[in-house]
Amino acid sequence: MGKRGFVRREPRPKEVLELCLYLAQEVAPPTPKGHRGRPWRYTHALYLALLLFRAFYGLTYRATEAHLQDLLEGPFPSHQALAAYAQKHLNEEVLQALLERLVQKVEARLPQEEGEPPFS
């Protein structure tokens, strides 16, 4: 509870995931469409959004997959695919910059009480 008895609203995971998808689509490279090898099943933007969601909540890969089962209806990458993508393609500086932008956008959407630090 806040100072005046108001319950402070925390961000809903669905809202955070939508913001992650929006931010990831802005910066993700295009998915390769070459002629050799198996085609990509998921886009770079989806992988980046799920890794951003994971970093925002501080989840493990398995916990991220469990949360996504509740949030997403369609198919999404497994925890193994997320870990492999992160190891091979993830740029930590880009993820950190996106995480900072995500926190700013989430804070802007939540009503703040005067004098309270965000996400306390």
Side-chain angles (χ1 to χ4, degrees), residues 5-99:
F6 295 108
V7 176
R8 192 148 175 260
R9 187 168 89 81
E10 294 295 323
R12 292 188 191 116
K14 188 79 170 177
E15 290 175 327
V16 173
L17 184 61
E18 289 172 2
L19 286 172
C20 290
L21 288 168
Y22 174 75
L23 289 174
Q25 288 174 350
E26 289 180 355
V27 299
T31 305
K33 296 185 180 181
H35 297 285
R36 299 187 66 175
R38 186 190 314 192
W40 283 69
R41 187 168 182 187
Y42 307 106
T43 63
H44 282 288
L46 181 63
Y47 279 109
L48 190 58
L50 298 182
L51 290 169
L52 185 59
F53 181 81
R54 175 186 179 265
F56 182 79
Y57 283 109
L59 301 171
T60 63
Y61 289 109
R62 286 180 191 257
T64 304
E65 184 179 15
H67 278 23
L68 293 175
Q69 288 176 349
D70 296 335
L71 296 175
L72 294 177
E73 295 175 8
F76 56 89
S78 68
H79 66 277
Q80 296 166 333
L82 279 176
Y85 181 87
Q87 187 175 24
K88 189 171 183 180
H89 298 282
L90 186 63
N91 185 348
E92 289 295 327
E93 292 83 24
V94 171
L95 184 66
Q96 191 62 33
L98 283 175
L99 189 57

